[in-house]
């Protein structure tokens, strides 16, 4: 009988985060100050972020120790299982072996607490009393609410309005853990009010919610900081425990992936699963394909431009080197709210530019169909974000079948969709549509950039 689940014990949990910057042939370009166009300093960033997180953001050390207090909270759900998707393999009739890392088992139902816990920890160590943040589908907002409560920190979350309306229960999760959740754009900030003046029916975007959260943090520099759930170097650093666990678990399964697949919004779960395997390519000469899967409705890696751009709509953040659709790009109201971000993190962007990773864009209807097949064969209803990785996995598995070759595929199940059932309801009712921005729409926002690269 084949083993279905591969589980590590708590004492096999990683004790260090892996920083891929140490092994990158071309290091990421530095973030720039918008006014001077010079690299930002730690002092300039310290009004927004906790100091230890800024050090990690700028670090080129290969490994960074995980504090014991963080490891203790990780034990609530980590290590997460690696699962052989035997039911899905059978349904597809593929010779491919399919494995998935099940990050849906965390308290918040996704991979996000893996960075939320250290971010809350380092802020509490600095004496910070209040955190502000944004959230798309609410996975990040729920995760940082869970983590902030552990360290006695108050939290204000700006949730993209379309998701705030579509996913009320994720908002209630945040409230249950003691956080305040506000629909963005809101009337609490200048950037929110400006967006509502431009369009009173604005459904919001992650870039806009970031502007609101940063603006609130800057009002109270004495006791408030901002935190982010994706994109930045320190965030993807924390998520590498996913891939480090998966490397050990694939060894337990006596298998090595030919390809590693993750859905892609800003880069946190994709980097988390992918970077420890990419390390094998960079240091051992392996040729594992590492594939980022984004929505066709927000295709920064596949159709964006590599350029310096703001991480938010109002321009509060430093200029970041990224594949971007332009910070004014308004993504369509797809259900994968966590993937509706205009840019890609600077590490992922550099790896993409250097041809070390691949990217694919998936239409919405195909992803939800993949989610339903996965739910019916493996029992877990996946988050709409995760269905992008599943859809790409299914394509690759069917390709292996066509070619008559056995491939080993690993993907990250970044979260469950138990609170995303509205997306499935829409799909089952035949009401979901595919969105793909025109070249003209993308050019309009990309051409507004300063083109510093």
């Amino acid at each position: 009988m084949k083993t279905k689940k591969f589980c590590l014990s708590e004492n096999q949990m990683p004790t260090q985060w892996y920083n891929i910057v140490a092994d990158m042939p071309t290091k990421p370009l530095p973030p720039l100050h918008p006014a001077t166009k010079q690299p930002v300093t730690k002092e300039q960033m310290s009004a927004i972020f906790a100091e230890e997180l800024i050090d990690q953001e700028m670090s080129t050390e290969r490994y960074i120790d995980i504090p014991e207090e963080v490891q203790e909270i990780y034990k609530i759900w980590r290590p997460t299982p690696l699962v052989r998707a035997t039911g899905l393999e059978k349904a597809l009739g593929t010779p491919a072996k399919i494995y998935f890392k099940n990050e849906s088992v965390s308290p918040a139902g996704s991979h996000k607490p893996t960075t939320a816990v250290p971010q809350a920890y380092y802020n509490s160590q600095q004496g910070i009393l209040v955190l502000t943040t944004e959230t798309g589908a609410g996975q990040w907002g729920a995760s940082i609410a869970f983590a902030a409560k552990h360290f006695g920190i108050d939290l204000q979350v700006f949730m993209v309005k379309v998701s705030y309306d579509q996913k009320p229960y994720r908002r209630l999760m945040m409230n249950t853990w003691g956080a305040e959740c506000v629909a963005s754009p809101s009337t609490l900030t200048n950037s929110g009010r400006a967006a509502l003046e431009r369009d009173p029916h604005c459904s919001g975007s992650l870039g806009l919610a970031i502007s609101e959260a940063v603006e609130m943090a800057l009002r109270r520099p004495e006791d408030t900081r901002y935190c982010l759930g994706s994109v930045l170097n320190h965030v993807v650093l924390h998520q590498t425990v996913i891939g480090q666990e998966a490397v050990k678990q694939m060894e337990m399964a006596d298998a090595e992936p030919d390809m590693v697949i993750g859905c892609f919004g800003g880069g946190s779960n994709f980097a988390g699963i992918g970077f420890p395997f990419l390390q094998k390519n960079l240091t051992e000469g392996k040729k594992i394909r590492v594939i980022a899967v984004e929505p066709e409705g927000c295709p920064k890696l596949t159709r964006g431009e590599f350029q310096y751009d703001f991480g938010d709509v109002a321009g509060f953040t430093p200029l970041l080197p990224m594949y971007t659709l332009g910070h004014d790009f308004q993504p369509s109201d797809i259900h994968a709210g966590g993937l509706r971000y205009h840019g890609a993190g600077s590490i992922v962007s550099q790896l993409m530019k250097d041809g070390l990773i691949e990217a694919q864009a998936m239409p919405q209807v195909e992803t939800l169909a993949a989610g339903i097949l996965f739910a019916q064969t493996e029992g877990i209803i996946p988050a709409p974000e995760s269905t992008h990785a599943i859809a790409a996995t299914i394509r690759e598995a069917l390709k292996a079948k066509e070619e008559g070759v056995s491939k080993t595929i690993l993907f990250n199940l970044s979260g469950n969709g138990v609170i995303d059932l509205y997306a499935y309801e829409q799909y089952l009712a035949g009401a979901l549509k595919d969105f793909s921005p025109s070249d003209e729409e993308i050019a309009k926002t990309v051409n507004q950039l300063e083109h510093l690269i």
Side-chain angles (χ1 to χ4, degrees), residues 36-272:
T36 64
K37 307 296 187 286
Q38 293 301 307
V40 291
T41 62
K42 182 177 176 180
E43 290 67 39
Q44 287 164 339
M45 290 176 78
S46 63
I48 302 178
F49 296 107
E51 288 181 21
E52 184 64 35
L53 295 172
I54 302 167
D55 288 341
Q56 292 179 3
E57 185 70 18
M58 297 176 163
S59 174
T60 54
E61 295 288 315
R62 184 171 283 107
Y63 291 103
I64 292 171
D65 290 339
I66 304 173
E68 277 183 34
E69 296 92 326
V70 171
Q71 290 185 56
E72 275 307 306
I73 300 173
Y74 275 179
K75 284 179 189 173
I76 293 172
W77 77 99
R78 305 214 71 89
T80 62
L82 179 84
V83 186
R84 175 86 180 264
T86 45
L88 182 61
E89 291 172 13
K90 190 176 170 190
L92 297 173
T94 178
K97 297 179 184 72
I98 302 172
Y99 295 85
F100 64 93
K101 187 79 165 116
N102 187 359
E103 289 297 306
S104 77
V105 298
S106 81
S110 80
H111 70 291
K112 294 285 187 180
T114 309
T115 182
V117 172
Q119 288 193 49
Y121 167 77
Y122 289 121
N123 274 284
S124 75
Q125 290 293 100
Q126 198 177 304
I128 298 304
L129 303 176
V130 183
L131 286 173
T132 67
T133 195
E134 77 298 318
T135 193
Q139 298 271 27
W140 166 246
S143 300
I144 190 66
F146 155 79
K149 183 47 69 180
H150 265 277
F151 295 102
I153 299 175
D154 290 336
L155 174 69
Q156 184 179 44
V157 183
F158 288 88
M159 186 171 183
V160 176
K161 188 178 282 178
V162 62
S163 292
Y164 184 94
D165 294 335
Q166 284 176 353
K167 304 174 198 295
Y169 292 108
R170 199 145 285 131
R171 163 168 35 110
L172 280 166
M173 287 175 79
M174 297 176 224
N175 298 153
T176 301
W177 278 311
E180 178 192 6
C181 184
V182 179
S184 170
S186 77
T187 55
L188 299 179
T189 65
N190 293 330
S191 38
R193 287 189 291 270
L196 289 168
E197 268 174 44
R198 286 192 301 272
D199 175 9
H201 305 292
C202 178
S203 60
S205 69
L206 275 169
L208 180 54
I210 291 170
S211 295
E212 294 207 82
V214 172
E215 187 179 324
M216 290 300 274
L218 290 172
R219 285 184 194 173
R220 292 178 53 178
E222 67 284 357
D223 66 358
T224 303
R225 291 293 180 276
Y226 165 75
C227 57
L228 186 67
S230 192
V231 181
L232 295 176
N233 300 3
H234 67 269
V235 180
V236 301
L237 170 82
H238 300 154
Q239 294 292 1
T240 56
V241 295
I242 300 171
Q244 289 183 73
E245 288 177 7
V247 167
K248 289 181 190 171
Q249 288 163 317
M250 290 299 286
E251 286 167 7
M252 286 169 72
D254 196 22
E256 186 171 69
D258 295 294
M259 60 198 88
V260 177
I261 298 173
C263 66
F264 191 84
S268 67
N269 98 85
F270 165 74

